[in-house]
Structure formats: C-alpha cells, structure tokens
Amino acid sequence: MSNVLIAGTGPVAIQLACIFSKDKRHHIGMVGRANTSMKAHDFYQNYQQHNQLEVSVQNKEHQALTGQFTLHQLYADYNNLNQRLRSQQLYDTLILACQADAYRSVIERIATPILKQLEQIILISPTIGSHMMVQQQLNEINPDIEVISFSTYIGDTRVYDIEAPHQVVTTGIKHHVYIGSTKQDSPMLKTLQTLFDHVDVCLTIVATPLLAEARNSSLYVHPPLFMNEFSMRTILDGSDVPVYVYKLFPEGPITMRLIHEMRVLWQEINLILQHLKAPSLNLLAFMVKENYPVREETFNPYDIVHFESLPAIHQEYLLYVRYSSILIDPFSKPDAQGRYFDFSAVPFQQIYQDKQGVMQLPRMPYEDYYRTSIIQQIGKLLGIETPMMDRLLKRYSEHISKFIATNPELNFSKQFQLQNFEKDVNLIKDYFKNCFTLNIENKK
Ligand SMILES: NC(=O)c1ccc[n+]([C@@H]2O[C@H](COP(=O)([O-])OP(=O)(O)OC[C@H]3O[C@@H](n4cnc5c(N)ncnc54)[C@H](OP(=O)(O)O)[C@@H]3O)[C@@H](O)[C@H]2O)c1
C-alpha cells in the first residue's frame, strides 16, 4: 500500500488521512463532490485557502492521533479524479470513508482504469453484507481485488467549527475494532494493524470481512433505540423538554418493550449469521466487555458468559439491568450529594434544514434504516423470516411518510425517500449466486 485514495471529505476521511500521512511513504489523495454538495464545496474551499488539514484530540491520551498535514491531491469531485488520473500515477488502495449506502454510487463514479489498478478497497463503516456488494460490483472489472471491512470507525471525530471543516477533533477512541479481509493471510491486514498501532489504536484481525461487519453493536441496538414511537417523534417533531437516547422512559425511550425488540432483533441477526456460517454474537458480553464496562457487582459473570443460552425473559432482564447500570458512569467520582456523572444524557439529533433549506435526517436513524434494510434483505435471500426487522422498518417508514404528508411545504432530501435499496440488494443476490456456483464447482 503506498498510493491511497480516500473517498469522502468528512471527519472520518480527515482522521484517516492523518493516520496514513504519518507514514511518509504514503501518497494520499482525497476525493469529494464539491461540484454538487455545499458541504463538500465548503471543505474544498477551506482546504484551498489553508492548504492543510488538522486533527486535534480532546483527551491527552490520544495525542498520537493529532496532526497537521497536506494531501498530495485533493480532487474537487469524481470527474476531476477521473480526468486528472489519465496522465498520473494510479492508486492501489481505495478507502471508502463515507456512509455504507454510498459505497455503490462512489464506486460507480470512479473510472474503470482506476478501479482496475486497485489492489484493495477498505470499508470503514459497513453493514453486514457490504463487502459482498462491493466485491460483486467489482467482479468483472477487478475480480482479484481484496475487500477489507472494519467493524466500525475507530472513534468519534467531528468538525468543531462548521466554518472550518478542514479542522476536526477526535473526542474518543474505541477499545475494540475488528478488521477482516476477503484474502486469507492478508499481508495488508498486518500493515493496517502496524499503522494503527503507531497511533495507539488496536485493530484485531478476524477471519473474514463478515465477522468484522457483524461485530458492531450499533447494528443490534440502534434500530430498537431509534425506531420506536418515542424516538421517532422526538427526531421528527422535537420535544417540549429535553429527552435522551440512553435514558429510561419517560426521560428516554427505554422500556421493557424496547428491550424485548432489541433481544428479538439480535436473535434474528444471529440466525442470519449462522446461515452464513459465521459465529453468533453474545450481545451482553459484547456490551459489557467491549462497549462500556459496568461495575463487577452489577452482573453475575456466569450470566454474561452464558447469556446466549438463557431463557428469553432472563436475557431481557439482563439487558434492562445493563442499560440501568450505565445511566450514570459507574466509574465516575460522585459529588458531595452522591451524584455520579450523567452518562446517559445523550440528546437526540433532530431533523434539520441545511444551508440550502433542504430537510436532512440525522445519521441515527437514517444510516440504521439502510443497514437494517440490507440485513433484512439478506435474511429474505436466505429464506429467513425477520418479523422484528420488518416491524422496526415499517414503523420507521410510517413515521417518515406521515411527517412528509403533514409538512408538504418542506423540501426534503433524498434520505426521506423510502426505498428497499434494490440495486445494492441485487449485487448481494448475485454474490450469493456466484458463491453457490463456486461451491457446487468445488464439490464436483
Ligand atoms: N464521525 C464519527 O465519529 C463516526 C463514528 C462512527 C461511525 N462513523 C461513520 O463513518 C461514516 C463517515 O462519517 P463522517 O463523520 O466522516 O460523515 P460525513 O461528515 O457525513 O462524511 C461522509 C462523506 O461521504 C460523502 N458522501 C456521502 N454520500 C455520498 C455519495 N452518495 N457519493 C459520494 N460521496 C458521498 C460525504 O459527502 P458530502 O460532504 O458532500 O455530503 C462526505 O464527504 C458514516 O457512515 C458514519 O456513520 C463516523
């Protein structure tokens, strides 16, 4: 890996460019869509003005992630990339630092000669099945390409002043990030591990991209947390008093029903994983050991280890206890009144109008809608019923449709269009067909 092209110009793209730029052997290009998107245009203008990108951190421990650096190339948009590259050196690595629902259209925009030269493509924030879609999309152009999936982006990075989108701050780092490749014993995974090790981010290698994609707890918990009456109303209509994503009802959405939906969704995803010959995920162990720890006193360790085989009602009880025990940060120092840090006071992001007056949906729940729709469709392709996914998606769709119908004067972005992401699903369908044919051929 030496010539790295990053697709996307948001905070994730900037932090990744910073990490890769620390190894001076890398030639780093970045491509946005400045000709069609105001956000990308602002970024492009700012970069032209300052000729530098900057990453800072909130926490001194994450100092290794900071940097001020210059890109080798910033392409205003994909046409620009395609034209300029005719006479220049090509890229061996493409990093998709955009939302998973944009992967297909980003690849479509890149000229075939560039795609043909790629050795690997890295998906930073995929859903279950994203690597299948990408591999299938490139099947004819570049059948040997290596597709690498991260379980999730390595931390939390944001722009802190929208007037200066070339400067971002990383406010937190994930303790566990998994990476998996379509190539066995991929040297590229080791290279990534070393690169991220230098900035104190630990990447764990797993056997396949599917395993990495499945080890993202937001796939299991976001749909129930955001696609319920309480959260959808708050996101679309606002609320009279502040309410919070991770609080118990009525301060937040968490009820016994939500916890029930979370457990059933988790089981549906596990069933799909089993059909794909991937190990299921112990949700409670994942939450407690990999997301946020709780105090030792909270759980019986036996229940954590054996969570998957406990009766449904016991599982729901344990999930409810888990959310209750992190309402406050159980490791914070209480004040004189015995109050601990209010860990669960995470506000909902609401819909908003962008600079052009177009209504936009926040990442949660829009990205969850895409991710869950893809997993639901994979279930259908495998002949697995997913009544909970169906219910959550239907509820989401009903709220969006009702909001559009009652606000006809507003100008809505494409995110408000309800769709079943047919083109993406068709690629996954073809991928399954190919795998099936290959299996039959191998067995002959
Ligand atoms: N930031 C974090 O801390 C964080 C944490 C966990 C996960 N993630 C995930 O990582 C991904 C990127 O995050 P981010 O914060 O950098 O998001 P962002 O600021 O929205 O940046 C996304 C980038 O993708 C581009 N893009 C979106 N749709 C596109 C399309 N159809 N064609 C071409 N380009 C497209 C955007 O272009 P425009 O600027 O023109 O819209 C932007 O450059 C998201 O999926 C996010 O959920 C981020």
Side-chain angles (χ1 to χ4, degrees):
M1 169 178 61
S2 51
N3 294 324
V4 180
L5 176 65
I6 301 179
T9 54
V12 166
I14 298 173
Q15 176 66 85
L16 292 172
C18 178
I19 295 172
F20 280 83
S21 71
K22 288 180 189 285
D23 181 340
K24 297 295 169 221
R25 287 169 300 176
H26 290 138
H27 171 110
I28 298 163
M30 197 182 266
V31 54
R33 43 179 189 174
N35 295 344
T36 50
S37 146
M38 187 53 95
K39 214 171 120 211
H41 179 260
D42 287 350
F43 171 83
Y44 188 73
Q45 293 278 308
N46 260 273
Y47 184 74
Q48 299 292 34
Q49 206 179 331
H50 301 277
N51 200 32
Q52 182 166 267
L53 298 177
E54 189 178 330
V55 179
S56 55
V57 288
Q58 206 172 53
N59 205 322
K60 272 198 286 187
E61 295 157 37
H62 304 143
Q63 193 61 26
L65 286 162
T66 62
Q68 287 184 337
F69 61 101
T70 303
L71 296 167
H72 292 89
Q73 297 287 340
L74 172 63
Y75 306 97
D77 81 2
Y78 290 84
N79 287 338
N80 204 259
L81 164 81
N82 295 337
Q83 283 155 11
R84 298 252 303 273
L85 275 180
R86 287 210 181 114
S87 56
Q88 288 177 24
Q89 199 178 13
L90 295 171
Y91 289 99
D92 48 60
T93 305
L94 171 65
I95 301 182
L96 296 182
C98 51
Q99 297 86 330
D101 67 304
Y103 289 169
R104 186 183 44 76
S105 72
V106 164
I107 293 172
E108 266 171 11
R109 286 181 205 198
I110 299 178
T112 304
I114 301 175
L115 295 175
K116 269 189 194 300
Q117 289 291 321
L118 290 175
E119 288 169 21
Q120 52 262 325
I121 183 160
I122 304 179
L123 317 180
I124 299 297
S125 193
T127 183
I128 289 176
S130 292
H131 74 280
M132 304 173 187
M133 182 189 81
V134 167
Q135 189 156 42
Q136 185 60 34
Q137 192 177 2
L138 292 169
N139 193 27
E140 286 184 4
I141 302 172
N142 187 343
D144 288 331
I145 196 162
E146 174 179 12
V147 185
I148 293 174
S149 286
F150 274 53
S151 54
T152 172
Y153 172 60
I154 56 151
D156 194 349
T157 306
R158 54 191 75 165
V159 168
Y160 55 81
D161 171 5
I162 61 165
E163 301 301 324
H166 64 296
Q167 295 174 326
V168 295
V169 56
T170 290
T171 55
I173 283 297
K174 296 212 165 60
H175 296 295
H176 299 269
V177 176
Y178 297 89
I179 48 172
S181 164
T182 48
K183 294 247 189 288
Q184 276 197 340
D185 301 321
S186 152
M188 184 62 189
L189 291 184
K190 293 262 176 337
T191 308
L192 284 171
Q193 220 178 16
T194 311
L195 185 74
F196 280 76
D197 230 29
H198 284 136
V199 290
D200 302 329
V201 174
C202 170
L203 300 181
T204 303
I205 295 175
V206 289
T208 63
L210 178 64
L211 269 178
E213 288 169 355
R215 300 191 79 75
N216 176 358
S217 61
S218 63
L219 298 177
Y220 305 82
V221 306
H222 278 187
L225 282 168
F226 292 96
M227 296 177 187
N228 59 69
E229 301 291 333
F230 182 99
S231 305
M232 288 302 295
R233 262 191 277 119
T234 308
I235 292 162
L236 294 170
D237 304 324
S239 64
D240 299 336
V241 292
V243 288
Y244 305 96
V245 180
Y246 296 103
K247 285 200 183 284
L248 307 183
F249 187 81
E251 288 183 300
I254 299 176
T255 58
M256 280 173 67
R257 182 179 175 195
L258 182 150
I259 295 293
H260 168 75
E261 294 188 345
M262 187 179 286
R263 182 188 61 78
V264 180
L265 174 68
W266 161 69
Q267 287 197 322
E268 288 179 1
I269 300 179
N270 271 353
L271 193 60
I272 292 174
L273 291 175
Q274 278 167 21
H275 270 72
L276 294 171
K277 309 266 181 286
S280 57
L281 180 118
N282 177 336
L283 186 60
L284 185 66
F286 198 81
M287 286 172 161
V288 172
K289 300 218 157 65
E290 310 213 4
N291 283 2
Y292 300 105
V294 293
R295 293 279 285 261
E296 229 178 270
E297 294 82 345
T298 304
F299 288 114
N300 176 343
Y302 178 94
D303 288 345
I304 300 177
V305 175
H306 297 96
F307 179 72
E308 290 179 86
S309 56
L310 295 175
I313 193 72
H314 195 170
Q315 290 172 336
E316 289 178 20
Y317 162 71
L318 292 168
L319 290 174
Y320 200 90
V321 170
R322 187 268 178 175
Y323 278 99
S324 310
S325 61
I326 55 164
L327 287 170
I328 46 97
D329 176 356
F331 297 96
S332 62
K333 201 164 174 275
D335 67 12
Q337 278 73 45
R339 277 192 298 256
Y340 288 77
F341 176 68
D342 192 357
F343 199 42
S344 54
V346 176
F348 284 92
Q349 300 288 315
Q350 290 178 2
I351 51 168
Y352 59 96
Q353 260 181 342
D354 66 14
K355 282 188 187 170
Q356 290 75 49
V358 179
M359 293 307 297
Q360 301 287 345
L361 269 168
R363 182 168 288 169
M364 278 96 77
Y366 174 72
E367 286 191 29
D368 303 303
Y369 172 63
Y370 172 78
R371 290 168 167 191
T372 311
S373 298
I374 295 296
I375 302 173
Q376 177 206 39
Q377 301 284 337
I378 291 178
K380 283 203 169 58
L381 294 173
L382 297 171
I384 298 171
E385 291 196 355
T386 54
M388 185 51 70
M389 285 184 219
D390 304 350
R391 183 200 288 183
L392 292 161
L393 293 170
K394 181 163 176 271
R395 196 186 287 148
Y396 171 93
S397 305
E398 283 170 359
H399 275 274
I400 298 286
S401 305
K402 194 168 149 218
F403 186 79
I404 294 174
T406 46
N407 295 280
E409 74 291 357
L410 294 176
N411 187 2
F412 292 101
S413 73
K414 256 173 71 181
Q415 296 171 326
F416 283 82
Q417 288 168 11
L418 298 166
Q419 48 167 323
N420 54 8
F421 307 102
E422 203 178 339
K423 288 185 177 166
D424 292 12
V425 174
N426 282 340
L427 284 168
I428 296 176
K429 197 170 169 180
D430 291 342
Y431 173 91
F432 282 147
K433 271 191 214 150
N434 281 350
C435 286
F436 188 62
T437 317
L438 270 177
N439 281 341
I440 292 178
E441 292 298 318
N442 288 344
K443 280 180 190 156
K444 270 185 192 167

